[in-house]
């Protein structure tokens, strides 16, 4: 694992499946071994990926829990073989497949060798567009499978220039892999939603807030809205902790900001040549990669209007 980069098609990120945290850690570690670039060597259903207990323990375990890594990896590999995944396709079709077609457990070498299922390979290899990527270390401190799934979704949505997501609770259960579970809203909120949000907020580079939507008739709740942004944008948030679109707009409207960043590498040719295109593209670039605005004394907040006392 040279860079521990996990790359998956958006379809796979948004797919429905059930999995434990340890299985997810093992799966992601194997996925990080795949070179997903379009010009990468071809990967087939015969290609095998080996992961050692030491490698997994180095990323996902602390010194006090490393003793459990060998046991966990064995159990995770046995369960992972049985896991199904449902991938939504065009024309209302659904692909039902598995993540892996073979698992070889080697207790003497303390390692696992995995072969990915043929039907899932197109969602992990030769990816040209519409994919989600992050490094394993970004989820290394997440202890809940719900937190890991939510983090992947957030990264996927941000990559599609979406910084808020509204859905009904049944759709949320589906995408989180808990369809049919936590039918009581109180359980869903406490055990899944709030737990995942708190852990992502505490242990990753993203900040999430949630609003719940009450039913139009009767008691209870029927949906939610998630709002999210990179923590490096915290200085641009409103009093409620959500990212202020008006603040971002004021930055991109700032003439000095345009002069300073009109050569930003993520800008298109039109963005570098046309004012309207610059502003339109910059709204997304700021939210997607705020760390790229790193010129000395030219941080994003420096373009905000000065507060008069």
């Amino acid at each position: 694992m040279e860079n521990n980069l996990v790359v998956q098609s958006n379809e796979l990120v948004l797919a429905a499946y059930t999995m434990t945290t340890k299985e997810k850690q093992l799966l992601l570690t194997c996925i990080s071994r795949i070179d997903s670039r379009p010009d990468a060597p071809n990967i087939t259903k015969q290609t095998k990926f080996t992961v050692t207990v030491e490698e997994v323990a180095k990323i996902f375990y602390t010194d006090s829990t490393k003793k459990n890594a060998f046991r966990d990896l064995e159990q995770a590999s046995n369960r992972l073989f049985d896991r199904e995944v449902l991938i939504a396709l065009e024309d209302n079709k659904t692909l039902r497949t598995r993540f892996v077609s073979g698992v070889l457990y080697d207790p003497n070498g303390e390692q696992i060798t995995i072969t990915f299922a043929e039907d899932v390979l197109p969602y992990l290899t030769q990816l040209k567009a519409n994919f989600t990527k992050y490094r394993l270390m970004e989820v290394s401190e997440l202890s809940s499978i719900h937190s890991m799934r939510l983090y992947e979704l957030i990264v996927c949505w941000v990559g599609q220039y979406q910084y808020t997501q509204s859905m009904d609770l049944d759709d949320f259960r589906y995408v989180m892999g808990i369809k049919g579970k936590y039918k009581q809203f109180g359980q869903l909120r406490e055990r899944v939603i709030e737990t995942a949000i708190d852990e992502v907020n505490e242990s990753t580079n993203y900040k999430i807030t949630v609003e719940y939507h009450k039913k139009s008739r009767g008691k209870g709740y029927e949906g939610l809205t998630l709002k999210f942004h990179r923590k490096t944008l915290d200085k641009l948030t409103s009093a409620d902790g959500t990212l202020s679109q008006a603040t971002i707009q004021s930055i991109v409207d700032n003439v000095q900001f345009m002069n300073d960043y009109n050569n930003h590498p993520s800008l298109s040719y039109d963005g570098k040549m046309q004012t309207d295109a610059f502003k339109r593209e910059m709204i997304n670039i700021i939210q997607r990669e705020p760390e790229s605005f790193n010129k000395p004394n030219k941080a994003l907040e420096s373009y905000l209007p000065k507060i008069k006392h």
Side-chain angles (χ1 to χ4, degrees):
M1 295 180 291
E2 294 182 1
N3 56 21
N4 294 328
L5 189 65
V6 176
V7 185
Q8 307 169 73
S9 71
N10 291 342
E11 291 91 345
L12 187 59
V13 173
L14 297 170
Y17 57 87
T18 300
M19 192 172 293
T20 65
T21 304
K22 299 305 178 186
E23 292 169 60
K24 183 71 171 178
Q25 291 172 349
L26 173 59
L27 179 65
L28 292 180
T29 305
C30 291
I31 291 176
S32 73
R33 291 294 186 85
I34 299 176
D35 187 342
S36 61
R37 293 174 297 181
D39 57 349
N42 191 38
I43 294 175
T44 69
K45 60 182 180 180
Q46 282 80 37
T47 306
K48 302 183 185 301
F49 299 88
T50 299
V51 174
T52 67
V53 173
E54 181 181 1
E55 290 167 338
V56 175
K58 184 178 180 180
I59 297 174
F60 295 108
Y61 288 77
T62 64
D63 290 339
S64 61
T65 61
K66 281 184 178 180
K67 61 181 182 297
N68 301 322
F70 183 83
R71 176 205 64 193
D72 292 343
L73 194 61
E74 179 181 16
Q75 294 176 350
S77 63
N78 289 333
R79 292 173 178 170
L80 187 59
F81 180 75
D82 296 322
R83 295 301 188 186
E84 294 183 344
V85 56
L86 300 177
I87 303 174
L89 306 178
E90 295 180 352
D91 300 323
N92 204 31
K93 296 179 181 178
T94 302
L95 172 63
R96 181 183 180 187
T97 185
R98 297 178 183 272
F99 281 102
V100 301
S101 60
V103 178
L104 175 63
Y105 180 66
D106 179 6
N108 295 324
E110 295 191 358
Q111 62 186 26
I112 303 290
T113 299
I114 282 181
T115 307
F116 284 97
E118 184 175 12
D119 282 340
V120 88
L121 281 176
Y123 302 95
L124 296 171
T125 63
Q126 309 288 315
L127 300 179
K128 299 179 181 179
N130 300 319
F131 55 82
T132 298
K133 65 179 180 179
Y134 60 88
R135 299 193 183 280
L136 276 181
M137 292 305 297
E138 295 176 35
V139 296
S140 62
E141 296 185 17
L142 299 179
S143 60
S144 164
I145 181 60
H146 306 315
S147 305
M148 299 179 79
R149 289 287 287 135
L150 183 59
Y151 182 82
E152 282 188 334
L153 291 170
I154 296 301
V155 176
C156 175
W157 288 328
V158 169
Q160 299 178 77
Y161 314 113
Q162 300 176 37
Y163 313 103
T164 181
Q165 193 70 221
S166 297
M167 62 183 75
D168 64 42
L169 295 181
D170 285 340
D171 287 342
F172 180 79
R173 289 185 180 95
Y174 179 84
V175 77
M176 291 291 285
I178 52 173
K179 183 179 180 180
K181 299 180 180 179
Y182 305 105
K183 295 183 179 181
Q184 296 296 320
F185 174 73
Q187 292 181 333
L188 178 67
R189 179 177 59 186
E190 179 181 353
R191 300 182 184 181
V192 179
I193 303 173
E194 303 289 354
T195 297
I197 289 177
D198 288 346
E199 195 167 27
V200 169
N201 287 347
E202 180 180 352
S203 302
T204 76
N205 53 351
Y206 280 93
K207 175 71 174 295
I208 309 173
T209 58
V210 61
E211 298 176 4
Y212 299 107
H213 308 310
K214 291 185 177 181
K215 294 180 178 179
S216 56
R217 295 182 179 180
K219 298 181 179 179
Y221 294 84
E222 61 183 4
L224 55 74
T225 295
L226 298 170
K227 297 181 180 180
F228 33 88
H229 63 268
R230 286 185 176 271
K231 288 179 180 177
T232 47
L233 290 173
D234 275 349
K235 292 183 179 180
L236 308 184
T237 56
S238 302
D240 61 358
T242 61
L243 195 60
S244 171
Q245 295 301 318
T247 299
I248 293 178
Q249 187 67 55
S250 71
I251 292 175
V252 302
D253 288 340
N254 187 300
V255 175
Q256 188 60 52
F257 174 76
M258 187 180 302
N259 292 335
D260 291 339
Y261 285 102
N262 62 2
N263 62 344
H264 193 284
S266 293
L267 281 172
S268 68
Y269 175 80
D270 287 342
K272 294 177 180 179
M273 301 300 294
Q274 301 175 16
T275 299
D276 288 344
F278 173 89
K279 293 180 178 181
R280 185 172 58 251
E281 292 180 22
M282 268 301 176
I283 290 175
N284 285 318
I285 296 172
I286 287 174
Q287 295 178 84
R288 194 174 70 250
E289 44 184 295
E291 64 280 354
S292 65
F293 297 90
N294 53 12
K295 293 184 178 181
N297 301 317
K298 295 179 181 179
L300 290 171
E301 58 269 22
S302 68
Y303 300 96
L304 296 175
K306 303 299 181 183
I307 299 176
K308 297 181 180 180
H309 298 283

